[in-house]
Amino acid sequence: MVNPPKSAILHLLNMSLYDQLKFDPATGLIPAIIQEQKSGRVLMMAWMNRASLEQTIATGKTHFWSRSRQKFWMKGEESGHTQAVKDIAFDCDGDTLLIQVEQVGAACHQGFKSCFFRSVEGDGSTFKVTERQLQTPEQIYGKKK
Amino acid sequence: MVNPPKSAILHLLNMSLYDQLKFDPATGLIPAIIQEQKSGRVLMMAWMNRASLEQTIATGKTHFWSRSRQKFWMKGEESGHTQAVKDIAFDCDGDTLLIQVEQVGAACHQGFKSCFFRSVEGDGSTFKVTERQLQTPEQIYGKKK
């Protein structure tokens, strides 16, 4: 193991987070991977614009930008399944976030802890469901969805 | 806990992986989160087109599409830091992959195990380096980079 080159690190530490990040020039968005800190389970991936990242940092709850609804939203605003932020990391290229959270209930709107509840089998012609559903969408959202 | 609704699951199991996935209509790409299976560490996020996913499944080594170089590539083809695929999951919307791997060496081209080696401090005006660099880029790539 070697230490990180000190000159490079000192240079980086003089720059703010937003100098390091590359929001997509066309959409203004950056993908955010959400990981449950205590289990290491990757829960979901969603998109943030600068305002939702600022709000996430300011409030300690994850906020996103919905591409399908073209809407700013707080995770859990309807379901109550909020995410308390424990750490925000970003990658070497500055174009992806990795956020550690404490998850209330199911992260997936389909009632699974993680949105990644299906895995490929064999050559990709079939797949399997890998975790139990905690709630049905009807139990989470009532008749809303 | 409730079981997944059987009718929904049976319906899904009759469809192939590629029926479930949404590659971006403009670019033909899907983001792939790469996680080290044994540690749970998220190593990187990269992009796949259908050919790179097919090659990943066929060979058991991760293959991607580089947006910056507009090039099909196998992870580790220059560095030797290949990724042996252990599991391929996909999310509820079918627009993100989560791939479990066994990583040889550093996943990051900057010589860190994970590309997410920096985390935000406080209000986002500063950040810290959270892991040790295993190798310098020069040690990995010689004079190539």
Side-chain angles (χ1 to χ4, degrees):
Chain A
M1 281 197 174
V2 295
N3 284 314
K6 286 193 174 53
S7 58
I9 301 295
L10 285 172
H11 172 66
L12 291 174
L13 292 178
N14 287 327
M15 301 173 75
S16 93
L17 171 66
Y18 298 102
D19 294 325
Q20 295 293 313
L21 296 185
K22 292 178 200 149
F23 294 88
D24 183 273
T27 62
L29 301 177
I30 191 168
I33 302 164
I34 309 299
Q35 185 172 28
E36 188 178 53
Q37 189 177 47
K38 71 174 181 186
S39 68
R41 187 91 174 99
V42 174
L43 300 175
M44 56 184 278
M45 206 276 278
W47 297 82
M48 290 186 169
N49 57 14
R50 180 159 173 158
S52 54
L53 178 56
E54 287 173 345
Q55 195 69 358
T56 296
I57 291 172
T59 64
K61 304 274 187 191
T62 54
H63 291 70
F64 302 101
W65 177 261
S66 167
R67 296 180 304 169
S68 58
R69 293 179 290 152
Q70 288 287 299
K71 184 173 176 289
F72 184 92
W73 62 293
M74 185 186 85
K75 173 69 184 168
E77 64 190 8
E78 285 190 58
S79 63
H81 294 167
T82 54
Q83 296 171 334
V85 175
K86 299 299 177 184
D87 186 77
I88 301 176
F90 55 100
D91 74 347
C92 49
D93 295 327
D95 61 10
T96 308
L97 300 171
L98 173 62
I99 301 183
Q100 305 292 330
V101 301
E102 189 177 304
Q103 172 71 51
V104 175
C108 181
H109 73 290
Q110 294 196 22
F112 294 84
K113 169 64 95 172
S114 163
C115 294
F116 297 94
F117 59 85
R118 293 171 294 180
S119 285
V120 173
E121 290 189 305
D123 64 359
S125 60
T126 60
F127 55 87
K128 61 190 173 193
V129 174
T130 55
E131 57 179 88
R132 287 175 66 84
Q133 198 178 29
L134 303 177
Q135 291 177 282
T136 63
E138 293 72 23
Q139 287 171 325
I140 301 173
Y141 298 101
K143 295 186 179 178
K144 282 183 187 168
K145 291 199 178 179
Chain B
M1 279 197 177
V2 296
N3 284 315
K6 286 195 173 52
S7 58
I9 300 295
L10 284 173
H11 171 66
L12 291 175
L13 291 178
N14 285 327
M15 300 173 74
S16 92
L17 169 65
Y18 297 102
D19 293 325
Q20 295 292 312
L21 296 185
K22 292 178 201 150
F23 293 87
D24 184 273
T27 62
L29 300 176
I30 191 168
I33 302 164
I34 309 299
Q35 186 172 29
E36 188 178 53
Q37 189 177 47
K38 70 174 181 186
S39 67
R41 187 90 174 97
V42 175
L43 300 176
M44 56 184 276
M45 206 274 279
W47 297 83
M48 289 185 171
N49 56 15
R50 178 157 175 160
S52 54
L53 177 55
E54 287 174 343
Q55 194 69 357
T56 295
I57 292 172
T59 64
K61 303 275 186 189
T62 54
H63 291 71
F64 302 101
W65 176 261
S66 167
R67 297 180 303 170
S68 58
R69 293 178 291 151
Q70 288 287 299
K71 184 174 175 289
F72 184 90
W73 62 293
M74 185 186 85
K75 174 68 184 168
E77 64 190 6
E78 284 190 57
S79 63
H81 295 168
T82 54
Q83 295 171 335
V85 175
K86 300 298 178 186
D87 186 78
I88 301 176
F90 55 99
D91 74 349
C92 50
D93 295 327
D95 61 8
T96 308
L97 301 170
L98 173 62
I99 302 182
Q100 305 292 331
V101 301
E102 188 177 304
Q103 172 71 52
V104 174
C108 180
H109 74 290
Q110 293 195 25
F112 294 85
K113 170 64 95 172
S114 164
C115 294
F116 298 94
F117 59 85
R118 293 171 294 179
S119 285
V120 174
E121 290 189 304
D123 64 358
S125 59
T126 60
F127 56 87
K128 61 190 172 194
V129 175
T130 55
E131 56 179 88
R132 288 174 66 84
Q133 197 178 30
L134 304 176
Q135 291 178 282
T136 63
E138 292 72 23
Q139 287 171 323
I140 301 174
Y141 298 102
K143 294 187 177 176
K144 281 183 187 168
K145 290 198 178 179

